Amino acid sequence: QPYDLVIRGGTVGTASGAFEADVAVRDGTIAAIGSGLAQGAREIDARGKLVLPGGIDTHAHVEQVSAGGLLNADTFESATTSAAFGGNTTLISFAAQHRGNDLRKVVDDYSVLAKRGALIDYAFHMIVANPDRKTIETDLPALIKEGHASIKVFMTYDLIKVDDEPLLDLLLTARENRALVCVHAENHGMISWMGRKLVERGYTAPKYHSISHPRGSEAEAFTRLITQAALIDQPIMIFHVSTAEGAAVIRQARGQGLKVFAETCPQYLFLTKHDLDKPGVEGAKWMCSPPPREVADQDALWQALALGDIQTISSDHAPYRFDETGKLSAGPNPNFKQIANGLPGLETRLPLLFDALVSKGRPEFAGRGIEAFVELTATAPAALYNLPRKGAIQPGFDADIAIWDPQREVTISDELMHDLAGFTPFAGRTVKGWPERVILRGQDVVAAGALKAAPGSGRWLGRTGGRAAEPTGRLTLDMDPATNFGANIL
Ligand code: URP
Ligand code: ZN
Ligand code: ZN
Ligand code: ZN
């Protein structure tokens, strides 16, 4: 049987090695990997190029109403276009419930938007901000069964935060229905108090946003979250780790055998809090939560990635324009508490990481840069979020492939980006290595610098919780009927 497509002569990268091979595709699926494969109906010459799995970005805010009630700048069409130009073929964004919203309706509404606009494959994390009985007991179990097997909760932000007791309700329903719980973990009271005190004293510039998120607010919330998840043996994913202390808390928990997973983002690996120190409100372009920290934190995060304590790197794409519709929605001179948090990053995540891991060769990965890049940006996310046909170049998997030119040098600029934020916090950086062709299920999405796919060509990926969401089965003493007068509340 002939092949639809053969990608010939490239270096195929996997999480465990890189080797020269042809890759053959039939019916959107990888059919064979080898040398001298038969002619395909279409052929791509990949000599001198790297043939890598398409990136999977598992944390992006798209067409979403923010924590502060502001609609962000991207649509599913613009966000997935930007993601594709950045080498990605799968995106997990959010179906974001706010207080008073019906979760089922929220998921339906985001599904309609994504189905119409997405041009790469996608799934949702369900943000739960209204953990009432109906949400916890009726909607979540049903939606998880229907294929939305991950939940996100916020421990901070006035309008959406979930306190300890409802968080336990959520963790328990996730355990009973086998969903992974992803958490934005920062100590709300510390951030809110620091913000109030700073503004009262006239420290209103964007740079004080960093100061208002004390380093310890992260480690404290991680500890509190991990302790609660451990009480009922529910796996968790800690989003956007930014500090060395936070990474240390995760390392300790994993050392105790707890099922704690973690991600970090390029802004914590490549930016510092000093990037917010710009004249006027310009620093708002570098404002995200948690904020970028220090170079020592960057080093600690790279180390945590190399040790496996942090398993994946997502963008946390959260696009707000630098104008009255976005960052400056409170007026031209807002204080930092009035500025929407978040950075665009779908398109820059992979080039920045390729440059650091493959081209420059971060020392933590000792010559295994290609493997680390593939693992952290595709293979691990597919495993964590249970996308069984995604994240590797392997027979039987979806033919989701990014062909990288390892020699091409590109200076990142606002003009180069395809999302609707209008700026990138990484402008001016030159990276070596660029995704020149992006293929989804055997079809071109980006080729020769042009978009080839139509909105709506991306598919929703229904999924179960998979291995990551399975409890360990070890009960804490507090939950063990053998030590609790026979009581069993799980
Ligand atoms: O600053 C950020 N990250 N904004 C997006 C919402 C969130 O906190 O994940
Ligand atoms: Zn967050
Ligand atoms: Zn410093
Ligand atoms: Zn986020």
Side-chain angles (χ1 to χ4, degrees), residues 331-345:
N333 282 305
N335 73 51
F336 69 85
K337 287 302 276 186
Q338 300 169 311
I339 298 173
N341 290 185
L343 311 176

Side-chain angles (χ1 to χ4, degrees), residues 197-371:
K197 292 292 178 198
L198 284 161
V199 172
E200 272 170 18
R201 285 161 173 70
Y203 301 111
T204 58
K207 65 182 175 185
Y208 296 108
H209 168 70
S210 308
I211 312 301
S212 78
H213 287 242
R215 308 174 55 84
S217 69
E218 182 170 272
E220 186 284 326
F222 290 7
T223 304
R224 185 155 37 94
L225 166 69
I226 289 167
T227 307
Q228 291 176 95
L231 174 67
I232 59 173
D233 183 29
Q234 164 60 30
I236 48 170
M237 159 61 73
I238 300 183
F239 270 173
H240 44 49
V241 180
S242 71
T243 59
E245 297 90 322
V249 168
I250 291 162
R251 181 166 184 74
Q252 186 187 18
R254 290 175 62 85
Q256 292 168 351
L258 298 175
K259 228 161 156 184
V260 174
F261 303 103
E263 70 162 28
T264 188
C265 313
Q267 45 273 37
Y268 309 113
L269 297 168
F270 300 106
L271 301 177
T272 68
K273 71 179 188 187
H274 303 286
D275 285 302
L276 281 75
D277 190 5
K278 301 276 193 312
V281 286
E282 179 78 5
K285 292 179 180 175
W286 287 264
M287 269 183 66
C288 57
S289 288
R293 307 286 183 175
E294 298 281 1
V295 171
D297 295 290
Q298 298 177 355
D299 289 338
L301 294 171
W302 283 112
Q303 186 68 20
L305 287 162
L307 292 169
D309 295 327
I310 299 177
Q311 297 78 38
T312 186
I313 305 171
S314 72
S315 68
D316 193 7
H317 180 80
Y320 299 100
R321 296 185 59 79
F322 191 67
D323 64 21
E324 68 286 350
T325 68
K327 295 280 189 186
L328 307 181
S329 64
N333 282 305
N335 73 51
F336 69 85
K337 287 302 276 186
Q338 300 169 311
I339 298 173
N341 290 185
L343 311 176
L346 279 168
E347 200 162 343
T348 47
R349 177 186 71 129
L350 295 176
L352 288 165
L353 291 169
F354 187 100
D355 178 66
L357 288 164
V358 180
S359 304
K360 294 204 176 78
R362 282 290 312 190
E364 294 85 354
F365 295 90
R368 293 180 59 82
I370 295 174
E371 292 88 338

Side-chain angles (χ1 to χ4, degrees), residues 59-61 64 94 152 154 184 239-240 263 289 316-318:
H59 181 168
H61 303 269
Q64 188 189 318
F94 297 93
K152 170 161 191 200
F154 288 83
H184 180 127
F239 270 173
H240 44 49
E263 70 162 28
S289 288
D316 193 7
H317 180 80

Side-chain angles (χ1 to χ4, degrees), residues 85-86 347-348 350-352 354-355 359-360 404-418 424 426-436 449:
F85 274 99
E347 200 162 343
T348 47
L350 295 176
L352 288 165
F354 187 100
D355 178 66
S359 304
K360 294 204 176 78
W404 286 73
D405 179 349
Q407 300 304 329
R408 183 155 161 215
E409 294 195 21
V410 173
T411 299
I412 294 171
S413 67
D414 297 349
E415 298 70 36
L416 207 60
M417 300 290 108
H418 295 82
T424 164
F426 302 104
R429 282 167 204 254
T430 298
V431 292
K432 189 171 171 194
W434 200 258
E436 62 168 31

